[in-house]
Amino acid sequence: MKAKSVDRIMTGVIVGIGFLIIALLAALLGYLLIRGVGHISWHFLTSAPESIRAGGGIGPQLFNSLFLLVLTMIITVPLGLGAGIYMSEYAKQNRLTAFIRLIVEVLSSFPSIVVGLFGLLVIVNRFGLGLSLMSGALALTVFNLPLMVRITEQALRAVPREQKEAGLALGLSRWRTITTVMLPISLPAIVTGTILAAGRVFGEAAALLFTAGMSSPRLDFTDWNPLHHTSPLNPFRPAETLAVHIWKVNSEGLAPDAAQIAAGASAVLVITVLLFNLGARWFGRALYRKLTAGR
Amino acid sequence: MTQTRQAADAIANDGRGKFPKHKLEELRGRGYVMFCVLLLIVIIFSIVYFIASRGLTPFASQGVSVGEMIGGLKWSPEADTPRFGALPFLFGSFATSLLAAIIAAPLGICAAIFMTEMMPKVGKNILQPAIELLAGVPSVVYGFVGLSVIVPFLRDVFPGQGVGILAGGIVLSVMILPTITTVATDALRSLPAGLKEGSYALGATRWQTISRLVIPTTLPSLMTGIVLGIARAFGEALAVQMVIGNAPHIPHSLTQSAATLTSIITLSMGNTTSGSLHNNALWSLALILLIMTFLFVFVVRLLERRVKHA
């Protein structure tokens, strides 16, 4: 065959595959939304789940997911920022740095179930935090920290050299230069990355089975004292998140409408991830505009 | 530069014995970031230590041999004479993740070529956001779709229940597609433009350029993407557990029920008492997962070294 016709055939094949992948995603999203959105209602989003009867909702699970997300980010962001700053600004080119780099790489490739088991062994049992939101948040911190380190490091590395040198030349200490000159410049990138990382926390389940638990106690949404046992804000109560709930309903759900609940909850999860994705892009761009010219 | 800094510091210090404010703040900042990094080191060592200490117990003091665990075919932890052969799970894990890679690798590389060489505009505006979104979809949602679409489909087409390695591989292939595509796209983008222009100048067609120049040159990077994808598939727990059927034996066909390391841990860990032989054997499986992770990272590093030398 002539080289030209081969070229045309292969172009066709690759373009076809490209569009196939786009179609696949459209079908996946369409399926999830069409099957799920019909089941989403205010009642579904706010009421408690039923184990045997039909008509259960996902209210506590949704709340738990959001609360866990906030807790995790409160712990992860400062630690990840710190380690990221070290990696991009303080680390020298030596064996120790190479070793830390290896650690970050290994840590980010640990299967989430291994991190969950570690959480069960150390955080839940040894530290005695029990199956609780706090244990879940700490396990997810282990999981998310390497991601946060990488986001920060890359964002700081993208800052122009001159900016840093100008800061140092003015006699600012290195730390001051980083926090007052470089961090603001890299903020849009860091924020975008952080929101995307938060989206991952929202959908994570395997690490939570053994740390945050698979059940949610009866929550009293009128009691906002974080020390009370039934208060939703108590970080030391067991909590089943939305993703864990989907898994549980699918593998051992007894309610007659288990399939619809799974479909509805999956749609909620995917819509939230979509919002996180779009939100990250929009917020990052808006922040960039505000920090560069529009002030 | 450090010398000038030291000089500047010396001037600032001035020998008057007063500890300057900016030095204190530098010290505090440096201390904080050091603490963060130290934490990373502590975390990784404690993960390895705790999982290994539990996972090695069956071998060290409970009479299970490493050979039986890796090569044994029978997993019956609750029997009178319990057997701990994990080969079916090892087989299941390798089979599903390799199958996923076989499906996803050509698709991902084609998607990367599509984005970089053929239709960059469509790629940038539609395909790339689509891939990023695929990466963000939670694994339980993939499991749900697998359970409600792929398994019934396979049940209609092939004999059997529909659950099994094929279903697991298909679900995982969608999950690792973004990993492979992203790495491949980065590799193709970083190729020097002059290389391709030279090929075109010699009269080569686009496909000739891609197949004989672009792909061979970026092969180590493409392999890196594939290995990263396999590593991700190997460690994935819940989506696989939902569609694979979880039977502790080596299946005779792709559509027969099987199990993976992760799926058996997910299912059994909650139902065993801590410290029992059964429970410790599950930790051994977790240890195998851990060792596999190190192995995957090692392979990726080897491949990356080849990229740098090329």
Side-chain angles (χ1 to χ4, degrees), chain B residues 158-234:
Chain B
F158 299 102
Q161 290 294 309
V163 293
I165 287 175
L166 187 57
I170 292 172
V171 168
L172 284 176
S173 69
V174 182
M175 295 180 71
I176 65 174
L177 186 62
T179 314
I180 297 178
T181 310
T182 314
V183 177
T185 311
D186 286 347
L188 294 184
R189 283 221 175 103
S190 64
L191 210 61
L195 219 56
K196 271 183 286 178
E197 278 157 19
S199 168
Y200 288 133
L202 287 173
T205 63
R206 181 160 61 186
W207 175 246
Q208 279 172 332
T209 308
I210 291 170
S211 64
R212 302 199 193 145
L213 190 135
V214 174
I215 292 182
T217 329
T218 52
L219 196 61
S221 301
L222 300 181
M223 289 301 295
T224 308
I226 295 171
V227 173
L228 284 173
I230 293 176
R232 193 171 164 213
F234 203 87

Side-chain angles (χ1 to χ4, degrees), chain B:
Chain B
M1 193 173 131
T2 46
Q3 270 184 348
T4 48
R5 272 189 50 80
Q6 274 165 6
D9 285 352
I11 294 166
N13 249 336
D14 210 22
R16 260 178 281 173
K18 224 175 92 186
F19 202 69
K21 197 172 135 240
H22 72 92
K23 275 213 138 181
L24 187 70
E25 118 199 327
E26 172 69 20
L27 212 64
R28 232 186 266 143
R30 193 185 280 257
Y32 174 66
V33 295
M34 293 280 215
F35 163 76
C36 293
V37 168
L38 206 67
L39 194 72
L40 278 176
I41 302 177
V42 171
I43 287 174
I44 199 144
F45 276 106
S46 49
I47 289 181
V48 173
Y49 169 76
F50 280 105
I51 291 190
S53 69
R54 269 300 187 82
L56 289 175
T57 321
F59 309 125
S61 59
Q62 288 173 310
V64 180
S65 76
V66 179
E68 190 202 335
M69 175 76 74
I70 293 174
L73 285 170
K74 202 164 156 54
W75 178 267
S76 51
E78 299 294 343
D80 290 334
T81 44
R83 301 282 296 278
F84 295 97
L87 190 62
F89 312 139
L90 278 167
F91 176 82
S93 283
F94 275 106
T96 42
S97 41
L98 287 180
L99 184 66
I102 290 170
I103 302 171
L107 290 180
I109 292 170
C110 282
I113 295 173
F114 177 86
M115 276 194 271
T116 53
E117 314 285 327
M118 306 232 163
M119 303 176 94
K121 240 186 172 163
V122 180
K124 197 162 187 279
N125 293 329
I126 303 177
L127 191 53
Q128 189 149 14
I131 298 273
E132 278 166 26
L133 197 66
L134 270 185
V137 173
S139 63
V140 282
V141 173
Y142 283 117
F144 165 70
V145 174
L147 202 58
S148 50
V149 179
I150 293 169
V151 171
F153 173 76
L154 292 177
R155 189 158 43 206
D156 291 344
V157 177
F158 299 102
Q161 290 294 309
V163 293
I165 287 175
L166 187 57
I170 292 172
V171 168
L172 284 176
S173 69
V174 182
M175 295 180 71
I176 65 174
L177 186 62
T179 314
I180 297 178
T181 310
T182 314
V183 177
T185 311
D186 286 347
L188 294 184
R189 283 221 175 103
S190 64
L191 210 61
L195 219 56
K196 271 183 286 178
E197 278 157 19
S199 168
Y200 288 133
L202 287 173
T205 63
R206 181 160 61 186
W207 175 246
Q208 279 172 332
T209 308
I210 291 170
S211 64
R212 302 199 193 145
L213 190 135
V214 174
I215 292 182
T217 329
T218 52
L219 196 61
S221 301
L222 300 181
M223 289 301 295
T224 308
I226 295 171
V227 173
L228 284 173
I230 293 176
R232 193 171 164 213
F234 203 87
E236 173 50 45
L238 300 189
V240 183
Q241 187 271 327
M242 285 156 94
V243 298
I244 200 163
N246 305 300
H249 59 75
I250 293 184
H252 299 294
S253 79
L254 288 178
T255 49
Q256 233 179 27
S257 185
T260 64
L261 290 170
T262 50
S263 76
I264 214 74
I265 296 176
T266 314
L267 278 183
S268 318
M269 191 55 100
N271 307 326
T272 55
T273 36
S274 176
S276 67
L277 181 54
H278 185 182
N279 187 268
N280 283 339
L282 293 174
W283 287 98
S284 304
L285 299 186
L287 182 62
I288 296 177
L289 272 179
L290 201 68
I291 294 170
M292 286 305 300
T293 310
F294 282 113
L295 221 65
F296 284 128
V297 170
F298 178 69
V299 173
V300 166
R301 291 234 147 184
L302 278 187
L303 285 167
E304 274 171 354
R305 197 170 299 161
R306 272 191 60 192
V307 176
K308 269 175 215 145
H309 282 293

Side-chain angles (χ1 to χ4, degrees), chain A residues 67-134:
Chain A
F67 190 30
L68 187 71
L69 173 83
V70 173
L71 265 181
T72 308
M73 291 332 264
I74 288 175
I75 306 172
T76 312
V77 170
L79 293 175
L81 273 180
I85 290 173
Y86 177 86
M87 291 311 284
S88 90
E89 299 303 314
Y90 286 100
K92 297 187 190 76
Q93 283 276 9
N94 58 18
R95 285 230 168 136
L96 180 69
T97 307
F99 177 65
I100 297 170
R101 232 168 256 293
L102 178 69
I103 283 184
V104 173
E105 197 180 330
V106 171
L107 206 53
S108 66
S109 36
F110 274 157
S112 72
I113 189 167
V114 168
V115 175
L117 290 174
F118 167 73
L120 172 68
L121 199 56
V122 176
I123 303 164
V124 175
N125 291 335
R126 196 154 290 229
F127 291 172
L129 288 178
L131 292 176
S132 67
L133 276 166
M134 204 41 148

Side-chain angles (χ1 to χ4, degrees), chain A:
Chain A
M1 222 183 325
K2 273 217 194 112
K4 274 210 168 152
S5 24
V6 175
D7 181 52
R8 235 172 265 146
I9 292 170
M10 289 317 291
T11 305
V13 168
I14 291 174
V15 169
I17 288 178
F19 283 107
L20 182 82
I21 294 174
I22 296 173
L24 185 80
L25 182 89
L28 184 75
L29 275 185
Y31 174 78
L32 285 167
L33 295 180
I34 289 168
R35 264 206 69 182
V37 166
H39 198 70
I40 299 176
S41 62
W42 184 245
H43 171 80
F44 181 67
L45 289 179
T46 52
S47 60
E50 299 280 352
S51 51
I52 305 169
R53 275 180 300 158
I58 52 166
Q61 281 77 18
L62 194 57
F63 178 82
N64 287 341
S65 286
L66 290 170
F67 190 30
L68 187 71
L69 173 83
V70 173
L71 265 181
T72 308
M73 291 332 264
I74 288 175
I75 306 172
T76 312
V77 170
L79 293 175
L81 273 180
I85 290 173
Y86 177 86
M87 291 311 284
S88 90
E89 299 303 314
Y90 286 100
K92 297 187 190 76
Q93 283 276 9
N94 58 18
R95 285 230 168 136
L96 180 69
T97 307
F99 177 65
I100 297 170
R101 232 168 256 293
L102 178 69
I103 283 184
V104 173
E105 197 180 330
V106 171
L107 206 53
S108 66
S109 36
F110 274 157
S112 72
I113 189 167
V114 168
V115 175
L117 290 174
F118 167 73
L120 172 68
L121 199 56
V122 176
I123 303 164
V124 175
N125 291 335
R126 196 154 290 229
F127 291 172
L129 288 178
L131 292 176
S132 67
L133 276 166
M134 204 41 148
S135 304
L138 288 172
L140 288 184
T141 298
V142 171
F143 193 68
N144 246 14
L145 205 50
L147 200 67
M148 201 64 220
V149 174
R150 216 174 286 163
I151 291 164
T152 312
E153 190 186 344
Q154 274 168 7
L156 283 176
R157 275 185 197 282
V159 175
R161 246 180 92 94
E162 290 79 11
Q163 301 267 18
K164 179 169 146 190
E165 280 165 4
L168 293 172
L170 285 172
L172 296 177
S173 69
R174 190 133 54 130
W175 179 248
R176 221 344 102 105
T177 311
I178 294 166
T179 48
T180 56
V181 179
M182 299 181 68
L183 269 186
I185 298 172
S186 52
L187 201 60
I190 294 179
V191 168
T192 310
T194 309
I195 297 177
L196 289 176
R200 271 184 43 173
V201 171
F202 201 76
E204 177 52 42
L208 293 175
L209 292 183
F210 310 117
T211 49
M214 285 184 252
S215 62
S216 206
R218 284 264 159 218
L219 295 181
D220 179 6
F221 277 94
T222 53
D223 181 1
W224 295 98
N225 183 342
L227 298 175
H228 286 179
H229 201 68
T230 54
S231 163
L233 282 186
N234 183 355
F236 296 103
R237 63 180 172 83
E240 179 192 42
T241 65
L242 198 52
V244 173
H245 189 61
I246 293 175
W247 177 75
K248 209 175 78 176
V249 165
N250 269 315
S251 35
E252 51 192 53
L254 292 174
D257 58 347
Q260 280 95 310
I261 292 176
S266 295
V268 172
L269 211 53
V270 167
I271 290 169
T272 319
V273 168
L274 258 171
L275 288 179
F276 270 113
N277 260 289
L278 295 175
R281 277 160 208 275
W282 174 81
F283 199 66
R285 228 178 292 144
L287 205 60
Y288 181 76
R289 226 176 290 137
K290 192 169 161 62
L291 289 173
T292 46
R295 218 185 306 216

